[in-house]
Structure formats: structure tokens, C-alpha cells
Amino acid sequence: MIAMLRRRLMSNMAKAKNIATGTVNASGATLTISGLDFQPNHVVLHFMADRDGKYTIISLYDNHAVAMEGTEISKYTCSLTFKNDGVVCSLSDDSYSDFNGTYRYVAWQE
């Protein structure tokens, strides 16, 4: 599964015109990445384990989010809005988890 995801991710990034990386802090059901000089088509986020990650989104690839809920892993759909200088990720109302903490991101444009 991880090898398949890695191949898919590397294939998409190989076609990229623009790529941006960085960190962003978030708290709540919405995470905003801004300050890019382009409108991305894709985004990957990973939680930086600087604290207990319970009930926190730990990973996101495009609109698929994974969260730790207690001792279990849950999957959610995240609504993405790509803007001229970044992206806004919004979780659905039925999510028990939020964005909470510092995330590393890669955003790119094909």
C-alpha cells in the first residue's frame, strides 16, 4: 500500500511546474496554506509529532485525510479550495478530529 502511494505521489510530482514546501500551524476544522506564488493542484500534509496526536488529523493527500481518534485510525474527506496563492482544507462536519498543531506540507501545480 505504501509503495503504491509513493509511486502515485512521485508520478504526480514529476509532472509539476511549481512545487512549494513548508510548515503551517493550524487549530480547528480548517487549515490554510497561503503565500505561494502559484495556484496548486495537489497538496500533501503530515503532522509533526510535537505533542499527543489524539483526535488530530495526522496526514492528508489531496482530499483524503487520516486521523488518530483515541487508539484508532479514522478516514475523512477534506474539502479543498485551491486559490491563486495557496489552498484551504476544510473538514466535514462529521469529523471528530481537527487540524491541531504544526504540519509539513508539499503543494504543487501540474
Side-chain angles (χ1 to χ4, degrees):
M1 178 72 151
I2 292 175
M4 182 174 53
L5 179 59
R6 183 179 298 139
R7 281 193 303 274
R8 183 175 166 203
L9 182 60
M10 295 306 290
S11 173
N12 284 342
M13 289 180 69
K15 300 179 237 175
K17 294 178 191 172
N18 293 300
I19 298 176
T21 62
T23 59
V24 62
N25 291 313
S27 178
T30 302
L31 179 140
T32 302
I33 298 170
S34 60
L36 308 180
D37 291 332
F38 62 93
Q39 182 173 343
N41 303 95
H42 302 281
V43 64
V44 174
L45 293 170
H46 292 287
F47 178 65
M48 293 175 60
D50 55 354
R51 57 172 200 74
D52 182 12
K54 290 183 182 176
Y55 302 99
T56 300
I57 298 297
I58 57 173
S59 185
L60 178 136
Y61 176 63
D62 283 344
N63 65 338
H64 303 285
V66 177
M68 282 299 297
E69 294 186 350
T71 58
E72 298 189 20
I73 295 177
S74 297
K75 298 177 190 175
Y76 292 104
T77 300
C78 185
S79 172
L80 297 178
T81 304
F82 293 103
K83 299 185 173 205
N84 289 339
D85 70 339
V87 61
V88 177
C89 307
S90 301
L91 293 169
S92 62
D93 292 337
D94 66 342
S95 173
Y96 290 107
S97 296
D98 284 331
F99 294 106
N100 191 1
T102 304
Y103 293 82
R104 291 183 194 258
Y105 70 84
V106 178
W108 68 96
Q109 178 187 49
E110 287 186 3

